[in-house]
Amino acid sequence: MVSEEDPEVGGTERRVGNRGDETTPDVRWTSWLIPVVVVANVVIFISVMYVNDCPHKSDRCLAKFLGRFSFESFKKNPLLGPSSSTLEKMGALAWGKIVNKRQGWRLLTCMWLHAGVIHLLTNMFCVAFIGFRLEQQFGFVRVGTIYLVSGFCGSILSCLFLQNAISVGASSALFGLLGAMLSELLINWTTYDNKGVALIMLLVIVGVNLGLGTLPPVDNFAHIGGFLGGFLLGFLLLIHPQFDWEENGVSLVPGSIVKPKYNTCQFVLCIAASIVFVVGFVTGLVLLFRGDNLNRYCKWCHKLSYSVKSQWS
């Protein structure tokens, strides 16, 4: 039995089986989807700045030497970016347009828009740092699914609580990746060493980021929705077979007992997560397009996110 450092959860070690003198390490995929996501976000931000064209609409632009790519004034946007009206025009999350005008596509487009250079760089650095490792371990299909669906979940929850503000940003999808990391650790608990340290580190990281989400002008509901979506999807998409399943499965020893691919706990977590995710996702969509406001049922929930006209997630 040997151990191999797992880059996914900061210093934990995932056990790797051996057969004779040969080890059977986890497969490492080539990460290409996350780089594409980062590049796409940068290209889209440049396109938004082109459409914004501050010099032709205001005489208080920043970095005027950039021409039509110059930024709005600090008073309008302290993050060095376009105006709120431009973001709304380009697909920002806006409850009124989604519910009253049936522009449901905004639930996805908002996660590709950013409020400014600072917002873009912060989000893309975190997406790259977390996403590269997840994609190398689990491949682009599963990580891409978690990224998009958890971002969509974040948009739904944001609309259900924040109905007088627009919201943009990839943080809902980023928190989805964090949630998936946590559920992956839990559902594959027996395959990791130093699991307690890894769990505490992840919980601290998530807790600190959610705490910062209560500061202006951050849309923390998008963070929470993305995290919950990614957390549930992680149980479904990031499950590992039992450590010694492969060895037992190919054993030629007469009378040997072949262990199941997944243990009972993994099956229970997977089924429970499936049910909760489907029920939550469908319920959220129904409430959203019915025009419901969840603040009616939760009088203190507004404290989880700072409420202003424009919010960045």
Side-chain angles (χ1 to χ4, degrees):
M1 181 80 66
V2 295
S3 295
E4 179 181 273
E5 184 180 358
D6 183 2
E8 186 50 44
V9 283
T12 62
E13 295 181 340
R14 187 168 189 273
R15 292 179 291 174
V16 180
N18 63 336
R19 190 176 292 114
D21 294 330
E22 297 182 1
T23 60
T24 57
D26 291 341
V27 174
R28 283 293 182 264
W29 300 73
T30 299
S31 178
W32 64 266
L33 178 65
I34 295 301
V36 168
V37 168
V38 173
V39 171
N41 275 275
V42 173
V43 171
I44 291 173
F45 179 75
I46 294 174
S47 301
V48 171
M49 292 305 301
Y50 180 85
V51 172
N52 188 65
D53 194 11
C54 181
H56 286 81
K57 303 174 183 177
S58 173
D59 58 353
R60 296 186 178 181
C61 302
L62 299 176
K64 291 185 178 180
F65 62 88
L66 294 175
R68 67 184 300 153
F69 295 98
S70 58
F71 310 120
E72 295 290 336
S73 64
F74 276 117
K75 184 177 181 180
K76 284 188 175 182
N77 188 341
L79 299 180
L80 300 178
S83 64
S84 296
S85 59
T86 298
L87 289 171
E88 187 172 357
K89 175 182 177 181
M90 297 295 287
L93 196 65
W95 177 84
K97 293 185 180 296
I98 293 174
V99 175
N100 300 324
K101 298 186 178 181
R102 291 295 188 263
Q103 296 179 0
W105 46 269
R106 290 178 179 272
L107 294 168
L108 281 176
T109 56
C110 66
M111 57 189 287
W112 299 93
L113 299 173
H114 285 84
V117 173
I118 299 174
H119 187 211
L120 175 70
L121 292 179
T122 302
N123 273 351
M124 290 304 99
F125 174 78
C126 294
V127 166
F129 182 75
I130 297 172
F132 277 139
R133 297 180 176 185
L134 274 178
E135 187 178 359
Q136 287 174 348
Q137 187 172 359
F138 296 101
F140 72 93
V141 174
R142 287 185 280 183
V143 172
T145 300
I146 291 172
Y147 185 89
L148 290 175
V149 177
S150 60
F152 193 83
C153 292
S155 297
I156 293 175
L157 192 65
S158 177
C159 275
L160 288 172
F161 281 100
L162 299 176
Q163 300 182 352
N164 297 313
I166 67 168
S167 179
V168 294
S171 288
S172 55
L174 171 61
F175 269 78
L177 296 181
L178 283 172
M181 287 175 62
L182 179 58
S183 55
E184 190 271 331
L185 175 62
L186 295 176
I187 199 169
N188 302 315
W189 187 257
T190 59
T191 67
Y192 284 99
D193 296 323
N194 300 327
K195 58 196 73 174
V197 175
L199 179 60
I200 292 174
M201 288 178 62
L202 273 175
L203 291 176
V204 169
I205 291 172
V206 172
V208 168
N209 280 278
L210 288 177
L212 292 174
T214 61
L215 302 176
V218 180
D219 180 1
N220 212 25
F221 289 113
H223 293 176
I224 296 171
F227 177 81
L228 293 176
F231 181 70
L232 294 172
L233 287 172
F235 287 117
L236 311 180
L237 300 178
L238 306 185
I239 184 172
H240 280 299
Q242 291 192 77
F243 166 67
D244 50 359
W245 168 78
E246 185 177 1
E247 283 191 353
N248 291 335
V250 298
S251 175
L252 299 178
V253 179
S256 60
I257 300 176
V258 179
K259 287 190 174 182
K261 188 173 183 179
Y262 304 108
N263 61 37
T264 303
C265 183
Q266 287 178 308
F267 272 120
V268 171
L269 286 173
C270 189
I271 293 173
S274 301
I275 295 173
V276 174
F277 178 80
V278 172
V279 171
F281 187 82
V282 173
T283 302
L285 281 178
V286 171
L287 292 175
L288 172 60
F289 286 102
R290 201 173 67 179
D292 240 333
N293 185 338
L294 293 190
N295 287 298
R296 295 166 50 193
Y297 312 105
C298 181
K299 301 300 183 181
W300 56 268
C301 286
H302 67 279
K303 297 180 180 179
L304 295 175
S305 184
Y306 193 88
S307 180
V308 290
K309 184 178 180 180
S310 301
Q311 298 212 318
W312 324 130
S313 69

